[in-house]
Amino acid sequence: MVVPLLLAAVINTAAPDLLRIGNFTESLFVNGSSTLIALFLLCTGAQINVKSFGVSIGKGATLLFTKWAVGALFGLLAYLFAGDNGLWLGLAPIAVIAAMTNSNGGLFVALVGQYGSKEDRAAYSLLALNDGPFLTMVALSIFGAMGFVDGMFSLVSFVSVLLPILVGMVLGNLDEEMRKFLDRGSSMLIPFFAFSLGMGIDFRAIVNGGLSGIILGLLTVFVTGTAGYFVFKALKWNPIVGAAEGSTAGNAVATPAAIAAANASFAAYTDIATVQVAASTVTTAILLPIYVGFLVKRLEKKGYSFERQAADTHA
Protein backbone atom coordinates (compact mmCIF):
# COMPACT_ATOMS: atom_id res chain seq x y z
CA MET A 1 0.00 0.00 0.00
CA VAL A 2 2.67 2.53 1.04
CA VAL A 3 4.70 2.57 -2.16
CA PRO A 4 1.84 3.35 -4.58
CA LEU A 5 0.35 5.90 -2.15
CA LEU A 6 3.62 7.84 -1.78
CA LEU A 7 4.41 7.55 -5.49
CA ALA A 8 1.05 9.09 -6.34
CA ALA A 9 1.54 11.83 -3.74
CA VAL A 10 4.88 12.75 -5.32
CA ILE A 11 3.26 12.88 -8.77
CA ASN A 12 0.34 14.94 -7.49
CA THR A 13 2.67 17.43 -5.78
CA ALA A 14 5.23 17.77 -8.60
CA ALA A 15 2.97 17.40 -11.65
CA PRO A 16 -0.69 17.42 -10.58
CA ASP A 17 -2.04 17.44 -14.15
CA LEU A 18 0.09 14.54 -15.38
CA LEU A 19 -2.65 11.93 -14.93
CA ARG A 20 -5.61 14.31 -15.05
CA ILE A 21 -6.13 13.83 -18.76
CA GLY A 22 -9.67 12.52 -18.64
CA ASN A 23 -11.29 9.23 -19.65
CA PHE A 24 -10.05 5.92 -18.29
CA THR A 25 -6.67 7.18 -17.05
CA GLU A 26 -8.12 9.85 -14.78
CA SER A 27 -11.06 7.68 -13.75
CA LEU A 28 -8.77 4.89 -12.52
CA PHE A 29 -5.66 6.61 -11.21
CA VAL A 30 -7.13 9.88 -9.90
CA ASN A 31 -10.84 9.51 -9.21
CA GLY A 32 -11.04 5.77 -8.70
CA SER A 33 -10.60 5.48 -4.93
CA SER A 34 -14.29 5.63 -3.98
CA THR A 35 -15.34 3.06 -6.58
CA LEU A 36 -12.42 0.74 -5.82
CA ILE A 37 -12.99 0.95 -2.07
CA ALA A 38 -16.70 0.24 -2.58
CA LEU A 39 -15.78 -2.86 -4.60
CA PHE A 40 -13.27 -3.85 -1.93
CA LEU A 41 -16.00 -3.58 0.72
CA LEU A 42 -18.34 -5.68 -1.38
CA CYS A 43 -15.66 -8.38 -1.74
CA THR A 44 -15.04 -8.19 2.00
CA GLY A 45 -18.75 -8.44 2.78
CA ALA A 46 -18.94 -11.64 0.75
CA GLN A 47 -16.45 -13.29 3.13
CA ILE A 48 -18.56 -12.58 6.22
CA ASN A 49 -20.80 -15.23 7.63
CA VAL A 50 -24.03 -13.51 8.63
CA LYS A 51 -23.66 -15.04 12.09
CA SER A 52 -20.40 -13.13 12.70
CA PHE A 53 -21.56 -9.70 11.51
CA GLY A 54 -22.30 -8.71 15.11
CA VAL A 55 -18.58 -9.04 15.87
CA SER A 56 -17.80 -6.54 13.11
CA ILE A 57 -20.38 -4.09 14.46
CA GLY A 58 -18.89 -4.42 17.94
CA LYS A 59 -15.38 -3.71 16.67
CA GLY A 60 -16.59 -0.77 14.59
CA ALA A 61 -18.48 0.76 17.53
CA THR A 62 -15.44 0.35 19.78
CA LEU A 63 -13.17 2.03 17.25
CA LEU A 64 -15.64 4.83 16.62
CA PHE A 65 -16.05 5.64 20.31
CA THR A 66 -12.32 5.37 21.11
CA LYS A 67 -11.37 7.69 18.27
CA TRP A 68 -14.06 10.22 19.18
CA ALA A 69 -13.40 10.14 22.94
CA VAL A 70 -9.65 10.71 22.57
CA GLY A 71 -10.11 13.48 19.98
CA ALA A 72 -12.81 15.19 22.06
CA LEU A 73 -10.64 15.00 25.19
CA PHE A 74 -7.70 16.66 23.45
CA GLY A 75 -10.06 19.25 22.00
CA LEU A 76 -11.27 20.05 25.52
CA LEU A 77 -7.66 20.38 26.71
CA ALA A 78 -7.00 22.72 23.80
CA TYR A 79 -9.91 24.91 24.87
CA LEU A 80 -8.89 24.89 28.55
CA PHE A 81 -5.24 25.77 27.93
CA ALA A 82 -5.64 28.05 24.91
CA GLY A 83 -3.81 31.36 25.12
CA ASP A 84 -5.16 34.85 24.57
CA ASN A 85 -5.05 34.23 20.83
CA GLY A 86 -7.40 31.25 21.23
CA LEU A 87 -4.69 28.74 20.22
CA TRP A 88 -3.06 25.86 22.10
CA LEU A 89 0.47 24.96 20.98
CA GLY A 90 -0.35 27.05 17.94
CA LEU A 91 -3.36 24.83 17.21
CA ALA A 92 -6.96 25.96 16.86
CA PRO A 93 -9.07 23.77 19.22
CA ILE A 94 -11.63 23.25 16.46
CA ALA A 95 -8.82 21.87 14.26
CA VAL A 96 -7.78 19.46 17.02
CA ILE A 97 -11.29 18.02 17.30
CA ALA A 98 -11.89 17.93 13.55
CA ALA A 99 -8.61 16.14 12.81
CA MET A 100 -8.49 13.73 15.74
CA THR A 101 -12.12 12.54 15.65
CA ASN A 102 -12.16 11.96 11.89
CA SER A 103 -10.36 9.10 10.12
CA ASN A 104 -9.26 8.19 6.62
CA GLY A 105 -11.50 5.26 5.66
CA GLY A 106 -9.42 4.32 2.62
CA LEU A 107 -6.26 4.15 4.71
CA PHE A 108 -8.03 2.06 7.36
CA VAL A 109 -9.41 -0.35 4.77
CA ALA A 110 -6.01 -0.76 3.12
CA LEU A 111 -4.14 -1.40 6.38
CA VAL A 112 -6.77 -3.75 7.78
CA GLY A 113 -7.01 -5.48 4.41
CA GLN A 114 -3.35 -6.38 4.79
CA TYR A 115 -3.20 -7.22 8.50
CA GLY A 116 -6.79 -7.93 9.60
CA SER A 117 -9.54 -10.48 9.17
CA LYS A 118 -12.77 -10.22 7.22
CA GLU A 119 -14.65 -9.17 10.38
CA ASP A 120 -12.07 -6.44 10.98
CA ARG A 121 -12.57 -5.02 7.50
CA ALA A 122 -16.35 -4.98 7.90
CA ALA A 123 -15.95 -2.81 11.01
CA TYR A 124 -15.60 0.07 8.53
CA SER A 125 -19.38 0.03 8.13
CA LEU A 126 -19.75 1.99 11.38
CA LEU A 127 -16.66 4.16 10.96
CA ALA A 128 -18.45 6.06 8.21
CA LEU A 129 -20.17 7.95 11.03
CA ASN A 130 -17.03 9.99 11.72
CA ASP A 131 -16.95 11.41 8.20
CA GLY A 132 -17.72 15.11 8.05
CA PRO A 133 -18.49 17.56 10.88
CA PHE A 134 -21.09 15.57 12.83
CA LEU A 135 -18.90 14.14 15.61
CA THR A 136 -16.99 17.42 15.85
CA MET A 137 -20.31 19.11 16.53
CA VAL A 138 -21.19 16.45 19.12
CA ALA A 139 -17.99 17.28 21.03
CA LEU A 140 -18.54 21.03 20.75
CA SER A 141 -22.13 20.64 21.93
CA ILE A 142 -21.01 18.67 24.98
CA PHE A 143 -18.54 21.46 25.74
CA GLY A 144 -21.40 23.94 25.48
CA ALA A 145 -19.72 25.71 22.58
CA MET A 146 -22.60 25.24 20.16
CA GLY A 147 -25.89 23.47 19.65
CA PHE A 148 -26.77 20.79 17.16
CA VAL A 149 -27.63 21.93 13.65
CA ASP A 150 -29.96 20.12 11.28
CA GLY A 151 -28.35 18.55 8.23
CA MET A 152 -24.95 17.78 9.80
CA PHE A 153 -25.65 14.02 9.78
CA SER A 154 -27.01 12.17 6.80
CA LEU A 155 -28.59 8.75 7.27
CA VAL A 156 -28.47 8.27 3.50
CA SER A 157 -24.69 8.80 3.48
CA PHE A 158 -24.27 6.24 6.25
CA VAL A 159 -26.43 3.68 4.45
CA SER A 160 -24.54 4.31 1.21
CA VAL A 161 -21.33 3.12 2.91
CA LEU A 162 -22.99 0.12 4.55
CA LEU A 163 -24.85 -1.09 1.45
CA PRO A 164 -21.87 -2.55 -0.52
CA ILE A 165 -20.95 -4.65 2.52
CA LEU A 166 -24.52 -5.89 2.88
CA VAL A 167 -24.76 -6.74 -0.83
CA GLY A 168 -21.52 -8.70 -0.53
CA MET A 169 -22.83 -10.50 2.55
CA VAL A 170 -25.98 -11.55 0.70
CA LEU A 171 -24.01 -12.82 -2.30
CA GLY A 172 -21.47 -14.69 -0.19
CA ASN A 173 -24.01 -16.32 2.09
CA LEU A 174 -26.25 -17.39 -0.78
CA ASP A 175 -23.52 -18.83 -2.99
CA GLU A 176 -20.24 -20.35 -1.79
CA GLU A 177 -18.75 -20.15 -5.29
CA MET A 178 -19.48 -16.41 -5.41
CA ARG A 179 -17.77 -16.02 -2.04
CA LYS A 180 -14.62 -17.70 -3.36
CA PHE A 181 -14.74 -15.65 -6.57
CA LEU A 182 -15.03 -12.31 -4.76
CA ASP A 183 -12.36 -13.26 -2.24
CA ARG A 184 -9.73 -12.84 -4.96
CA GLY A 185 -10.56 -9.15 -5.30
CA SER A 186 -9.83 -8.19 -1.69
CA SER A 187 -6.03 -8.08 -1.86
CA MET A 188 -5.75 -7.19 -5.54
CA LEU A 189 -7.60 -3.88 -5.15
CA ILE A 190 -5.45 -2.43 -2.35
CA PRO A 191 -2.52 -1.00 -4.39
CA PHE A 192 -4.91 0.49 -6.94
CA PHE A 193 -7.05 2.46 -4.54
CA ALA A 194 -3.93 3.34 -2.50
CA PHE A 195 -2.51 5.03 -5.60
CA SER A 196 -5.77 6.89 -6.17
CA LEU A 197 -5.77 8.03 -2.53
CA GLY A 198 -2.23 9.29 -3.01
CA MET A 199 -3.40 11.47 -5.90
CA GLY A 200 -5.38 13.43 -3.32
CA ILE A 201 -2.27 14.22 -1.25
CA ASP A 202 -0.24 17.38 -1.80
CA PHE A 203 2.96 17.68 0.24
CA ARG A 204 2.63 21.47 0.08
CA ALA A 205 -0.23 21.18 2.59
CA ILE A 206 2.39 20.34 5.22
CA VAL A 207 4.27 23.53 4.40
CA ASN A 208 1.11 25.64 4.48
CA GLY A 209 -0.01 24.12 7.78
CA GLY A 210 3.38 24.78 9.32
CA LEU A 211 4.84 23.06 12.36
CA SER A 212 1.50 23.21 14.20
CA GLY A 213 -0.20 21.19 11.46
CA ILE A 214 2.54 18.56 11.66
CA ILE A 215 2.12 18.44 15.45
CA LEU A 216 -1.60 17.84 14.93
CA GLY A 217 -0.80 14.97 12.57
CA LEU A 218 1.64 13.48 15.08
CA LEU A 219 -0.97 13.70 17.84
CA THR A 220 -3.53 12.02 15.62
CA VAL A 221 -1.26 9.11 14.71
CA PHE A 222 0.46 8.49 18.02
CA VAL A 223 -2.39 9.35 20.40
CA THR A 224 -5.54 8.11 18.67
CA GLY A 225 -3.72 5.27 16.90
CA THR A 226 -2.01 4.10 20.08
CA ALA A 227 -5.25 4.39 22.05
CA GLY A 228 -7.01 2.16 19.52
CA TYR A 229 -4.09 -0.26 19.63
CA PHE A 230 -4.27 -0.74 23.41
CA VAL A 231 -8.08 -0.84 23.56
CA PHE A 232 -8.15 -3.63 20.97
CA LYS A 233 -5.28 -5.40 22.69
CA ALA A 234 -7.15 -5.26 26.02
CA LEU A 235 -10.21 -6.77 24.34
CA LYS A 236 -8.00 -9.51 22.82
CA TRP A 237 -8.72 -8.33 19.28
CA ASN A 238 -6.10 -7.64 16.63
CA PRO A 239 -4.44 -4.45 17.98
CA ILE A 240 -3.27 -3.37 14.52
CA VAL A 241 -6.91 -2.79 13.58
CA GLY A 242 -7.20 -0.32 16.44
CA ALA A 243 -4.01 1.46 15.40
CA ALA A 244 -5.26 1.73 11.80
CA GLU A 245 -7.74 4.44 12.90
CA GLY A 246 -4.95 6.92 13.69
CA SER A 247 -5.45 9.16 10.68
CA THR A 248 -7.26 12.26 9.45
CA ALA A 249 -9.45 12.08 6.35
CA GLY A 250 -9.33 14.60 3.54
CA ASN A 251 -12.99 15.48 4.06
CA ALA A 252 -12.11 16.79 7.56
CA VAL A 253 -10.53 19.80 5.84
CA ALA A 254 -14.02 21.15 5.18
CA THR A 255 -15.16 20.72 8.80
CA PRO A 256 -13.97 24.08 10.21
CA ALA A 257 -15.83 25.97 7.48
CA ALA A 258 -18.96 23.87 8.06
CA ILE A 259 -18.82 24.55 11.80
CA ALA A 260 -18.29 28.29 11.20
CA ALA A 261 -21.29 28.34 8.88
CA ALA A 262 -23.38 26.86 11.70
CA ASN A 263 -21.95 29.12 14.40
CA ALA A 264 -20.31 32.42 13.47
CA SER A 265 -18.23 32.49 16.66
CA PHE A 266 -15.83 30.04 15.02
CA ALA A 267 -15.34 32.12 11.87
CA ALA A 268 -12.15 33.79 13.13
CA TYR A 269 -10.38 30.42 13.31
CA THR A 270 -11.64 28.91 10.07
CA ASP A 271 -8.60 29.68 7.90
CA ILE A 272 -5.91 28.55 10.31
CA ALA A 273 -7.91 25.48 11.32
CA THR A 274 -8.41 24.50 7.68
CA VAL A 275 -4.70 24.52 6.82
CA GLN A 276 -3.81 22.71 10.05
CA VAL A 277 -6.31 19.94 9.33
CA ALA A 278 -4.98 19.71 5.76
CA ALA A 279 -1.44 19.33 7.10
CA SER A 280 -2.63 16.65 9.52
CA THR A 281 -4.29 14.79 6.65
CA VAL A 282 -1.05 14.59 4.68
CA THR A 283 1.12 13.89 7.73
CA THR A 284 -1.06 10.99 8.90
CA ALA A 285 -1.34 9.51 5.40
CA ILE A 286 2.45 9.25 5.28
CA LEU A 287 3.20 8.43 8.89
CA LEU A 288 0.42 6.00 9.88
CA PRO A 289 1.43 3.15 7.50
CA ILE A 290 5.01 3.48 8.79
CA TYR A 291 3.83 3.43 12.41
CA VAL A 292 1.60 0.42 11.75
CA GLY A 293 4.56 -1.34 10.11
CA PHE A 294 6.61 -0.70 13.25
CA LEU A 295 3.83 -2.10 15.46
CA VAL A 296 3.50 -5.17 13.23
CA LYS A 297 7.22 -5.96 13.54
CA ARG A 298 7.00 -5.42 17.29
CA LEU A 299 4.13 -7.89 17.58
CA GLU A 300 5.80 -10.42 15.29
CA LYS A 301 8.87 -10.41 17.55
CA LYS A 302 6.52 -11.34 20.39
CA GLY A 303 5.17 -14.26 18.38
CA TYR A 304 2.00 -12.73 16.93
CA SER A 305 1.28 -14.26 13.52
CA PHE A 306 -0.35 -12.14 10.83
CA GLU A 307 -0.24 -15.11 8.46
CA ARG A 308 -3.12 -16.47 10.51
CA GLN A 309 -5.05 -13.24 9.91
CA ALA A 310 -4.38 -13.41 6.18
CA ALA A 311 -5.38 -17.07 6.07
CA ASP A 312 -8.65 -16.19 7.79
CA THR A 313 -9.64 -14.05 4.83
CA HIS A 314 -9.30 -17.13 2.59
CA ALA A 315 -11.08 -19.52 4.92
Side-chain angles (χ1 to χ4, degrees):
M1 174 201 167
V2 178
V3 173
L5 184 140
L6 292 180
L7 176 61
V10 170
I11 293 173
N12 188 55
T13 302
D17 296 326
L18 183 64
L19 297 177
R20 289 180 170 86
I21 57 177
N23 293 321
F24 299 131
T25 296
E26 186 169 350
S27 294
L28 175 61
F29 295 114
V30 180
N31 303 323
S33 59
S34 294
T35 302
L36 293 171
I37 290 172
L39 182 56
F40 177 89
L41 292 175
L42 190 148
C43 292
T44 293
Q47 312 313 310
I48 300 172
N49 188 308
V50 69
K51 297 179 181 178
S52 66
F53 190 56
V55 176
S56 300
I57 295 297
K59 291 181 178 181
T62 302
L63 272 175
L64 186 70
F65 177 76
T66 301
K67 177 81 169 174
W68 176 83
V70 173
L73 175 62
F74 269 77
L76 178 59
L77 291 175
Y79 272 111
L80 293 176
F81 296 104
D84 295 336
N85 60 355
L87 305 179
W88 174 64
L89 300 178
L91 291 167
I94 189 175
V96 174
I97 301 173
M100 295 185 73
T101 61
N102 187 294
S103 62
N104 188 326
L107 202 57
F108 174 84
V109 167
L111 291 169
V112 174
Q114 184 169 352
Y115 298 113
S117 68
K118 51 186 178 291
E119 287 86 7
D120 295 329
R121 298 182 209 170
Y124 177 67
S125 58
L126 269 185
L127 300 180
L129 288 171
N130 72 16
D131 286 349
F134 176 66
L135 289 185
T136 301
M137 291 193 67
V138 171
L140 292 172
S141 298
I142 291 174
F143 301 159
M146 71 183 303
F148 287 101
V149 177
D150 291 337
M152 285 295 178
F153 170 72
S154 170
L155 179 62
V156 174
S157 296
F158 172 63
V159 172
S160 69
V161 172
L162 184 61
L163 196 57
I165 296 176
L166 294 179
V167 171
M169 283 180 61
V170 171
L171 292 174
N173 281 275
L174 288 178
D175 187 345
E176 185 63 29
E177 290 301 316
M178 179 61 75
R179 172 177 288 170
K180 293 178 181 178
F181 171 74
L182 291 174
D183 188 31
R184 301 167 189 157
S186 299
S187 299
M188 183 190 74
L189 290 167
I190 292 175
F192 292 98
F193 70 68
F195 187 93
S196 185
L197 288 171
M199 287 300 294
I201 296 174
D202 191 330
F203 290 124
R204 287 170 293 195
I206 295 180
V207 177
N208 293 334
L211 180 60
S212 58
I214 296 175
I215 291 174
L216 182 55
L218 293 173
L219 285 173
T220 302
V221 171
F222 293 117
V223 176
T224 66
T226 303
Y229 177 91
F230 283 110
V231 167
F232 264 53
K233 187 175 182 180
L235 293 171
K236 301 189 183 304
W237 290 336
N238 181 351
I240 295 302
V241 177
E245 265 288 86
S247 64
T248 301
N251 58 30
V253 175
T255 294
I259 298 297
N263 190 322
S265 64
F266 293 97
Y269 304 102
T270 299
D271 291 344
I272 188 172
T274 298
V275 295
Q276 287 174 349
V277 174
S280 178
T281 299
V282 177
T283 302
T284 59
I286 298 169
L287 187 59
L288 181 61
I290 297 172
Y291 181 49
V292 166
F294 164 78
L295 293 175
V296 167
K297 290 181 180 178
R298 187 168 177 267
L299 286 172
E300 287 178 336
K301 287 181 179 179
K302 294 182 178 181
Y304 193 98
S305 175
F306 289 96
E307 291 181 358
R308 176 178 58 80
Q309 294 286 341
D312 186 34
T313 65
H314 296 281

